[in-house]
Amino acid sequence: PLWSDPRQNPCAQEPGGWELIFWPEDGKCYRLFRQGPCPQSMELVPGHGPGAPPQCRCPPGTAQSPRDAICYRLFEQGPCRNSEYFAPVLREAKNGHADTSRWGACLKVEECGAGKAWWGRDEQCYPTGTKGPCPQGLLLVSHHGLGLCHCDNNTLSAQYSAETRTCHEHYTRGPCAKGQLFLPTSDGPICACTHELPNYNPLDGRCYPLGTTGPCMPGHKFVAKNKTGGGEEGTCICREGYYLWEDGACYPPFTRGPCPPGNIFQLSFNEDDRKLECSPLPCPVGHLYFPGGKGCHKVGTQGPCPKGQGVIPSTEEPLSYLGVCACLTYTNDNRSVFKVARGVRPTEKGKCPESRQLEEVEEEEKGCKGRWTVLWEDGTCQKLYTRGPCPVGQWIVPDRSRGRSRKARGKWASGKCEQRPAITTRQTTAEPPFYRERRI
């Protein structure tokens, strides 16, 4: 690290010096990421860049309140009143650059209705008593409408495991061994599996949580179905929006799916027939596809979206090549030196909150990579002298009436369909004019 250089940090010569840093105000050495000479609730961190002095900042997961300058944990009540929570905000310095200190503000907890609580990290409502957005072993509880992850033997005794001292939903695996479920009983929850449960899989004699992958192939989910003679048992079906492929797994369209690199798993309908196939990616790197003739658009730009919204992938797991519109907010992230764009759902009226307006980002001039490719009218890139989207007997040629691209010298900007030359007996395939000229 930079602070291990004795020329910039005299404390680096001390024993364990890689953990120490020089504080110029009193000339002493202090351990990094501890309070040291900093005010209450803050920690000492290295400065930004070579030679920069150390500074005091709020620890990760906390932010400073302008009311008392103390660091509080984010997305909890902290210094706020009931029905409020402490959330991060981004301040702009006078020179136009983002303030490196972490600041927070009190925001109102949204009303979620009975049996639900507001989760500030993603601004959504989740049912209480479930795992929701909490880590394994904790369940969501409500504190004045604000969701908190919690576990104890008093408020959650029916879902509390005395052996592991953790809390879990019933009919999930919880702390149990594979093939068993966390089941409620009058004497407290136990780990067990019986064939009377709809979670029972007759193929291996084990129980699995419904709605999960369970014993199924990728892309499936384990659900209950009626069995002969009454009762229910588990079976595997494709997840919503997924389609069964030849390898027995289910994949969502507009992802790579089972296709080789550089291809997209596409779904198309021809009258009453459904067709699944692997086809070349329609968009260059960093762009997403919008069906219906809307073409390809760069991630983070407005593209075909309403004002104030931007282009993001429809799903991230698995990564989708299909673009959707969402409100974008640009925030600082510890994992990147650049501002990170986050997608936020629009309001019920289809508008973005004022604090979440999309920053003005100019989209680069549209163009296609590759010497023999041109931009088509639907925004996709097509290869010259192939049929592409042209009718039978025609192929793609440069549209000289629109000139050449400004970004790629000598390259045609767009293409059009033209009658393909007749095929002779000496030439089995029609060759591009430039190729024949080079051979001569």
Side-chain angles (χ1 to χ4, degrees):
L2 294 176
W3 60 85
S4 63
D5 186 355
R7 294 172 298 178
Q8 301 182 21
N9 178 24
C11 300
Q13 298 177 339
E14 301 290 333
W18 65 276
E19 293 183 302
L20 303 176
I21 199 164
F22 180 75
W23 185 252
E25 295 186 13
D26 60 9
K28 295 182 180 180
C29 297
Y30 293 93
R31 181 169 291 185
L32 285 167
F33 310 112
R34 300 288 192 274
Q35 181 177 347
C38 298
Q40 177 187 358
S41 74
M42 304 189 81
E43 66 177 10
L44 184 65
V45 298
H48 293 278
Q55 55 183 290
C56 296
R57 289 186 61 182
C58 290
T62 66
Q64 196 171 7
S65 172
R67 297 179 180 179
D68 52 16
I70 295 178
C71 300
Y72 295 92
R73 292 187 62 83
L74 292 168
F75 306 108
E76 296 182 1
Q77 183 173 346
C80 307
R81 295 174 294 184
N82 291 340
S83 300
E84 291 184 344
Y85 68 101
F86 194 58
V89 295
L90 180 64
R91 287 190 172 185
E92 295 293 334
K94 294 181 180 180
N95 57 5
H97 297 288
D99 192 346
T100 57
S101 56
R102 299 189 183 100
W103 292 94
C106 293
L107 301 182
K108 183 181 178 181
V109 174
E110 299 292 334
E111 295 183 4
C112 294
K116 293 186 177 181
W118 176 255
W119 188 252
R121 291 183 183 273
D122 59 8
E123 300 182 350
Q124 293 190 45
C125 296
Y126 292 92
T128 55
T130 66
K131 181 177 179 294
C134 299
Q136 186 69 20
L138 299 177
L139 297 179
L140 190 70
V141 297
S142 176
H143 177 71
H144 299 290
L146 178 64
L148 299 176
C149 295
H150 185 70
C151 178
D152 64 46
N153 196 19
N154 297 321
T155 57
L156 296 169
S157 58
Q159 298 168 295
Y160 181 80
S161 171
E163 295 182 1
T164 59
R165 297 182 180 180
T166 54
C167 296
H168 307 273
E169 294 182 61
H170 295 150
Y171 301 100
T172 65
R173 180 176 174 180
C176 307
K178 184 177 181 180
Q180 293 188 331
L181 298 179
F182 194 59
L183 304 178
T185 68
S186 57
D187 298 327
I190 62 171
C191 293
C193 175
T194 63
H195 66 275
E196 291 89 0
L197 292 173
N199 310 71
Y200 181 77
N201 180 30
L203 299 179
D204 60 7
R206 294 180 174 181
C207 294
Y208 300 92
L210 297 177
T212 65
T213 303
C216 310
M217 291 280 288
H220 288 77
K221 67 176 180 179
F222 190 65
V223 299
K225 71 169 184 178
N226 295 327
K227 61 181 180 180
T228 305
E232 293 180 318
E233 63 181 9
T235 188
C236 298
I237 64 171
C238 283
R239 294 184 175 275
E240 290 82 0
Y242 284 57
Y243 295 89
L244 185 64
W245 187 244
E246 301 167 354
D247 59 0
C250 300
Y251 302 93
F254 300 107
T255 64
R256 178 179 169 183
C259 305
N263 283 257
I264 183 174
F265 185 57
Q266 279 196 325
L267 168 68
S268 59
F269 294 92
N270 184 11
E271 296 181 354
D272 296 332
D273 187 25
R274 185 183 67 196
K275 183 179 181 182
L276 296 167
E277 61 181 355
C278 294
S279 57
L281 285 172
C283 302
V285 176
H287 292 66
L288 297 175
Y289 177 68
F290 282 77
K294 296 181 180 179
C296 301
H297 299 275
K298 188 176 180 181
V299 176
T301 61
Q302 182 175 343
C305 304
K307 184 178 180 181
Q309 298 186 27
V311 175
I312 63 170
S314 59
T315 60
E316 294 185 1
E317 292 292 339
L319 181 63
S320 175
Y321 299 114
L322 181 67
V324 295
C325 297
C327 302
L328 297 187
T329 175
Y330 290 84
T331 60
N332 287 340
D333 194 304
N334 294 332
R335 296 169 294 180
S336 174
V337 296
F338 303 102
K339 289 184 179 180
V340 178
R342 304 289 185 191
V344 181
R345 292 181 179 179
T347 62
E348 295 181 356
K349 297 181 179 180
K351 296 183 178 180
C352 296
E354 294 182 1
S355 60
R356 301 289 173 86
Q357 289 294 321
L358 172 66
E359 292 187 354
E360 294 295 332
V361 181
E362 293 186 0
E363 187 170 3
E364 297 178 1
E365 179 188 359
K366 294 181 179 179
C368 296
K369 296 182 179 180
R371 185 177 180 184
W372 307 117
T373 57
V374 290
L375 183 68
W376 203 246
E377 57 188 4
D378 62 355
T380 60
C381 295
Q382 302 290 343
K383 186 176 292 186
L384 285 171
Y385 307 109
T386 62
R387 178 182 172 184
C390 298
V392 177
Q394 296 187 14
W395 64 356
I396 299 173
V397 298
D399 188 354
R400 291 173 171 79
S401 64
R402 297 190 179 184
R404 299 179 183 268
S405 172
R406 291 178 296 171
K407 297 187 69 176
R409 184 178 299 177
K411 179 180 174 181
W412 296 105
S414 58
K416 64 178 181 178
C417 293
E418 188 176 87
Q419 190 66 31
R420 188 172 182 174
I423 300 176
T424 65
T425 56
R426 295 183 60 186
Q427 184 175 316
T428 57
T429 57
E431 296 175 334
F434 62 83
Y435 185 62
R436 292 201 300 271
E437 292 170 1
R438 291 177 64 182
R439 288 184 60 183
I440 293 173

